[in-house]
Each structure stands twice: as C-alpha cells, then as structure tokens.
Amino acid sequence: MLIQRLLKKKQVRLAELTEQSRIQNEQLQVNSQLLGQHIRIFMGSTPGLMMSFGLGCLFQLRHNSTVKLVRSLFGLRWITKL
C-alpha cells in the first residue's frame, strides 16, 4: 500500500514534469521563430544591410595587415574564427 502510494506520487510528479517540458519546448520553439523573424527584418533594414556589407568587407580583408592590427588593438578575436 505504501509502495503504491509512493509510486502514484512519482507518476503524478512525472506527468507534471512532462507537461512542463512540453510547455517549455513550445515556448522555445515560438521564441526561436520570433528571433528568426526579427533577424530577417533587421537584415532587410538599412542598419542590417550596412552591418552585413561592413562584415563582408572585413571578411575579404581579413589577411590585410592593417585589419589585423585593428583587430588586435580592439580585441576582436571572434573575427579570426570566421
């Protein structure tokens, strides 16, 4: 009887956690879709296009000594990983 009560308690807790997980996954999916939509809107805007163009120019000049100097001065190490 005690084992059945504990088992039932664990099953209820498992059902609650399963429901929480499902809700969190749905929220994560919706947030991911919203983020993608916001990124597409930003990249189509003037600042987004300017940023994209600037990063494209920097990427093409990544071996230029001046660009390397500026990168090292400002600590932009993340550009080296492109």
Side-chain angles (χ1 to χ4, degrees):
M1 178 132 173
L2 179 62
I3 294 175
Q4 288 176 345
R5 206 177 325 159
L6 290 173
L7 185 59
K8 182 67 175 171
K9 192 176 183 180
K10 293 292 183 184
Q11 287 174 342
V12 169
R13 180 72 177 142
L14 178 63
E16 290 172 355
L17 291 174
T18 303
E19 181 64 18
Q20 283 180 353
S21 174
R22 186 187 64 77
I23 291 170
Q24 287 176 346
N25 283 338
E26 286 177 0
Q27 289 175 343
L28 183 63
Q29 203 171 28
V30 168
N31 287 341
S32 177
Q33 289 172 351
L34 283 174
L35 180 62
Q37 184 180 11
H38 287 267
I39 288 172
R40 284 189 295 276
I41 289 170
F42 174 74
M43 290 310 290
S45 68
T46 303
L49 292 172
M50 288 173 35
M51 184 182 77
S52 177
F53 178 75
L55 289 175
C57 290
L58 280 177
F59 185 74
Q60 288 182 354
L61 296 172
R62 67 188 180 276
H63 299 297
N64 186 311
S65 60
T66 306
V67 173
K68 286 182 180 180
L69 176 66
V70 170
R71 254 193 353 237
S72 66
L73 288 175
F74 291 105
L76 300 175
R77 297 282 178 212
W78 58 271
I79 292 178
T80 61
K81 292 182 171 60
L82 295 177

